[in-house]
Amino acid sequence: MSFPYQIKTKEQYIAAWEKSVADPEGFWADVASSFLWRKRWDNVLQWNFTEPNVKWFSGGKLNITENCLDRHLGSLGSKPALIWEPNDPEEHHRLITYSDLHHKVVQFANVLKNNGVKKGDRVCIYMGMVPELAIAVLATARIGAIHSVIFGGFSAQSIADRLQDAQANFVITCDGAYRGNKEIPLKSVIDDALVQCRFVTKVIVLTRTHTPVSMIKGRDVWWEDEIKKVETMGNPDCPAEEMDAEDPLFILYTSGSTGKPKGVVHTCGGYMVYTTYSFVNVFQYNPGDIHFCTADIGWITGHSYILYGPLSAGATSLIFEGVPTWPDAGRFWDIVDKYKVNILYTAPTAIRSLMGYGLGPVKDHDLSSLKVLGSVGEPINEEAWHWYDENIGKGRCPIVDTWWQTENGGILISNLAGVTPAKPSYATLPLPGVQPVLVDEQGNEITGKDVSGNLCIKFPWPSILRTTYGDHERCRTNYFATYPGLYFTGDGCYRDADGNYRITGRVDDVLNVSGHRIGTAEVENAINMHTGVVESAVVGYPHDIKGQGIYAYIVYDSTHQEEQNLTRQDIAQTVTRIIGAIARPDKIQFVNSLPKTRSGKIMRRILRKIAEGETDSIGDTSTLLDPSVVEEIKNGKI
Ligand code: WT7
């Protein structure tokens, strides 16, 4: 593979960015020409941000899996597409070449068809990080069905909510998953979810952990049995379904400041073009490079930079089943050494957690294969940046700090490794095609340098979300109504004297815990389900490893002092059950009442200050119904 659109110098970056603004259609038509289309598009771009309605390459026909698999078979057939490193380093790893992967995807696509899955159907995938997860995703896309991957840490209730919202009739899961020293009974969680989801007609279960499971007659089938059936059919081919560029490819649920998580919808053509383009340019991928993205495929980072981007570029992508600290904190460095990884893409929270173990686990590993380091998920603090640079990159690997969101599909603001300069704690410059603007509260654009504001994007890029599943109005109000004519990110941002962007964090009621987005309202709703909870308010506070921790203030109906710890555990357990362990509060403070305005609105600003330990700068409390509440809460701080 060669990439005619690969940017190699800073001058080329500037020229590409300028062309992408002056002539976006010409720019993206050129990039898109390097892909495999069954039929070329009629229009490069049609758009308005009012409805919103965005269409890229409409009329173009393609299948993304032909771009990720079939087109590589000639030149890269015997090259590993996936390297799989199991949770337990003693277990054998797997190398899956492009032709193997093609074969397995075709096989499983036939399994899906045999089980009644059709184009446009929603297929929910709830699996651990095994190669079959990649196979399930690609097979779904191959037959034109819509995948909705749910991270293996989510609870039965979260799964049920997502299945209902997506009206998914099909589920693919595993008996269980390994994560560090834990075994997660995925199928049993699915069973609990399906009690509420009678519309699910088929569950395909892969054997991974041999955890005992119960299978429901007519509904549940084993992955392995279904593969055997396809083999007895003589392994027929499964030509890829022809998709319109604007047909949905997948739904991925993400939290917002209100209500339940929303199903972000990405479509086939623009998503393919942008993930590949950004993969090649940000990481400066060169043919032969081994790419290791440590995210889970259950998040957008895994979709775009473990699967679609790298595979469409013909790269070798590493899938790691385990966690960074088990059996010890040298796990990542083991893997880098073992497979001679060239590109490592991870999250600040992982770096900070590994920093805590000192340099012992790093030394004795040869990290000289590394060429590029990446960071994603939250602002990377300078300390972590320098540790990563000095101890992992040994001062010779550019670090790309990549800012983007589930809704964006791919990286929007980042330096390009070794091509444009890095600046610690800055995502730096927009990729070609991306036009960031800063606005004030009224939506007026803040121009110039050395300024801060709310980050918006004023022009569509090919992998912008198209809608939120089943509720387009929610998409409009969430992203396009705050500042008419602009896509609003929800992030605050600073632009320095050189035009570099530094993301300062969310400006809405959304937390970023270990690089994962969690809505405070969602956590509050879960807490409020606990009997005895009268009301609650959740805010974030700085956490050494997670970036943000979850601090819950709870008004509880008669807790006796001696029972408080038990009650806390009980409430935390409720949140784990309703959402998942990632949303479990780190701190719970019982209060007699919450600080409210006379109109009954909770003053979160005050609660945030207290949780952050900044009690001196609480500011004006005179608008509160009862200002004495603040003193009481301050005194009871955990
Ligand atoms: C939010 C998006 C898509 C990446 C994984 C998270 C924060 C993400 C950075 C970065 C500063 C970042 C933002 C954004 N964020 N990357 N490099 N620097 N902040 O995806 O769950 O959709 O969350 O993560 O606040 O809005 P997500």
Side-chain angles (χ1 to χ4, degrees):
M1 285 285 282
S2 69
F3 311 104
Y5 48 77
Q6 185 157 10
I7 295 165
K8 301 220 165 96
T9 64
K10 193 170 174 204
E11 293 65 39
Q12 284 175 7
Y13 160 72
I14 294 167
W17 192 81
E18 282 172 357
K19 162 132 201 222
S20 78
V21 174
D23 176 18
E25 298 200 19
F27 178 83
W28 287 111
D30 279 351
V31 175
S33 302
S34 303
F35 293 78
L36 189 64
W37 298 85
R38 296 256 186 103
K39 174 184 166 286
R40 202 177 157 89
W41 51 88
D42 301 322
N43 294 295
V44 178
L45 172 64
Q46 295 154 301
W47 72 287
N48 72 70
F49 274 176
T50 330
E51 295 174 55
N53 182 13
V54 179
K55 290 192 166 89
W56 281 94
F57 311 113
S58 68
K61 304 288 180 192
L62 77 154
N63 187 291
I64 195 167
T65 72
E66 277 187 341
N67 281 270
C68 290
L69 301 170
D70 305 59
R71 72 162 159 162
H72 302 316
L73 293 180
S75 51
L76 303 171
S78 57
K79 172 181 165 169
L82 300 175
I83 298 175
W84 177 68
E85 171 67 15
N87 180 59
D88 182 349
E90 304 289 313
E91 189 182 340
H92 215 278
H93 70 271
R94 287 168 66 185
L95 296 183
I96 300 172
T97 65
Y98 272 96
S99 24
D100 290 344
L101 186 59
H102 177 263
H103 172 74
K104 288 179 191 308
V105 167
V106 163
Q107 239 185 0
F108 195 68
N110 280 319
V111 167
L112 292 175
K113 280 186 175 170
N114 289 345
N115 280 280
V117 185
K118 296 196 176 58
K119 179 174 182 173
D121 286 345
R122 277 78 53 216
V123 177
C124 159
I125 303 179
Y126 184 69
M127 298 172 82
M129 285 284 280
V130 287
E132 286 76 9
L133 166 54
I135 293 164
V137 166
L138 294 168
T140 305
R142 189 154 186 98
I143 63 169
I146 302 167
H147 55 78
S148 175
V149 184
I150 301 178
F151 171 62
F154 280 114
S155 68
Q157 184 59 51
S158 295
I159 297 167
D161 290 344
R162 286 158 172 76
L163 284 168
Q164 270 154 10
D165 188 82
Q167 299 167 16
N169 298 131
F170 303 94
V171 173
I172 308 170
T173 189
C174 299
D175 50 358
Y178 296 121
R179 268 177 79 78
N181 57 9
K182 292 201 195 76
E183 208 176 295
I184 301 141
L186 297 181
K187 172 62 164 66
S188 139
V189 179
I190 286 288
D191 288 340
D192 289 345
L194 295 196
V195 173
Q196 304 176 47
C197 303
R198 297 296 179 86
F199 50 86
V200 170
T201 52
K202 270 292 165 215
V203 180
I204 303 178
V205 188
L206 176 86
T207 307
R208 169 64 187 130
T209 54
H210 297 277
T211 312
V213 299
S214 49
M215 300 289 277
I216 301 286
K217 195 186 295 171
R219 188 193 72 181
D220 301 352
V221 295
W222 288 105
W223 175 298
E224 296 78 9
D225 293 347
E226 296 304 300
I227 291 286
K228 278 199 199 100
K229 286 186 202 160
V230 172
E231 282 167 349
T232 11
M233 290 159 60
N235 269 323
D237 189 17
C238 180
E241 186 75 29
E242 186 166 286
M243 306 297 283
D244 190 275
E246 280 300 328
D247 282 337
L249 173 64
F250 67 86
I251 306 171
L252 189 58
Y253 284 84
T254 188
S255 297
S257 49
T258 53
K260 292 200 163 153
K262 39 192 186 284
V264 169
V265 175
H266 285 289
T267 56
C268 297
Y271 178 81
M272 169 183 77
V273 169
Y274 195 80
T275 50
T276 316
Y277 179 82
S278 53
F279 171 70
V280 166
N281 280 305
V282 170
F283 301 105
Q284 286 295 302
Y285 170 74
N286 284 307
D289 284 349
I290 312 282
H291 174 74
F292 177 20
C293 166
T294 70
D296 192 287
I297 292 173
W299 308 109
I300 190 73
T301 308
H303 283 58
S304 302
Y305 299 112
I306 297 179
L307 296 181
Y308 289 114
L311 294 178
S312 157
T316 297
S317 184
L318 202 149
I319 298 183
F320 173 42
E321 184 183 32
V323 298
T325 49
W326 189 87
D328 60 54
R331 200 68 176 96
F332 279 1
W333 324 127
D334 254 352
I335 296 173
V336 168
D337 191 349
K338 180 168 172 192
Y339 301 105
K340 305 297 168 220
V341 168
N342 305 110
I343 305 167
L344 174 68
Y345 189 28
T346 193
T349 185
I351 299 168
R352 287 191 301 264
S353 126
L354 294 173
M355 278 166 71
Y357 292 84
L359 292 177
V362 182
K363 69 173 184 347
D364 300 334
H365 291 109
D366 178 8
L367 304 183
S368 64
S369 57
L370 287 172
K371 295 198 284 197
V372 173
L373 302 177
S375 169
V376 62
E378 59 173 303
I380 176 164
N381 49 307
E382 291 206 30
E383 198 192 350
W385 195 99
H386 287 293
W387 189 88
Y388 199 24
D389 179 41
E390 286 158 27
N391 302 301
I392 307 307
K394 318 283 182 197
R396 44 166 203 85
C397 300
I399 297 178
V400 288
D401 179 354
T402 65
W403 172 85
W404 58 299
Q405 312 175 294
T406 304
E407 295 84 348
N408 306 157
I411 298 164
L412 294 195
I413 304 182
S414 173
N415 49 318
L416 311 181
V419 172
T420 61
K423 180 170 177 180
S425 81
Y426 282 73
T428 75
L429 300 172
L431 264 67
V434 178
Q435 301 186 37
V437 288
L438 302 182
V439 300
D440 64 19
E441 293 296 329
Q442 285 70 46
N444 304 308
E445 183 169 345
I446 304 170
T447 54
K449 307 290 169 76
D450 187 20
V451 288
S452 295
N454 289 344
L455 178 63
C456 296
I457 317 282
K458 71 172 174 199
F459 196 87
W461 60 97
S463 62
I464 186 174
L465 86 161
R466 300 304 196 264
T467 189
T468 45
Y469 192 81
D471 192 352
H472 193 63
E473 177 59 10
R474 194 163 175 208
C475 173
R476 191 186 68 81
T477 50
N478 254 286
Y479 308 105
F480 298 92
T482 317
Y483 304 115
L486 301 174
Y487 166 83
F488 176 43
T489 64
D491 279 325
C493 184
Y494 167 73
R495 184 168 53 220
D496 77 0
D498 300 315
N500 289 310
Y501 290 88
R502 174 179 211 252
I503 312 301
T504 47
R506 303 287 306 193
V507 293
D508 50 11
D509 288 323
V510 169
L511 307 180
N512 187 327
V513 179
S514 301
H516 301 307
R517 202 193 300 186
I518 296 168
T520 51
E522 223 187 310
V523 182
E524 288 162 8
N525 290 339
I527 291 173
N528 296 348
M529 292 184 74
H530 187 278
T531 168
V533 171
V534 180
E535 61 176 341
S536 64
V538 163
V539 297
Y541 72 96
H543 186 287
D544 285 349
I545 291 178
K546 299 180 181 183
Q548 267 189 319
I550 302 180
Y551 196 116
Y553 297 92
I554 297 177
V555 181
Y556 197 83
D557 185 17
S558 71
T559 328
H560 302 290
Q561 203 65 30
E562 59 277 13
E563 291 167 6
Q564 282 199 354
N565 271 335
L566 275 177
T567 313
R568 278 195 187 93
Q569 276 175 28
D570 228 35
I571 292 172
Q573 191 54 35
T574 304
V575 176
T576 305
R577 258 195 227 114
I578 303 292
I579 307 176
I582 46 171
R584 198 183 165 94
D586 297 279
K587 294 186 178 180
I588 292 177
Q589 179 180 349
F590 293 111
V591 297
N592 288 322
S593 54
L594 295 168
K596 287 186 184 167
T597 61
R598 288 190 188 91
S599 60
K601 202 171 162 299
I602 296 172
M603 293 279 276
R604 292 167 174 287
R605 180 180 57 79
I606 293 175
L607 294 174
R608 233 177 270 132
K609 288 278 179 206
I610 297 174
E612 286 165 0
E614 290 185 25
T615 39
D616 296 338
S617 56
I618 284 179
D620 187 15
T621 56
S622 62
T623 56
L624 288 178
L625 186 62
D626 175 8
S628 72
V629 171
V630 176
E631 276 314 303
E632 181 220 310
I633 298 180
K634 263 168 41 176
N635 295 334
K637 184 179 180 303
I638 306 281

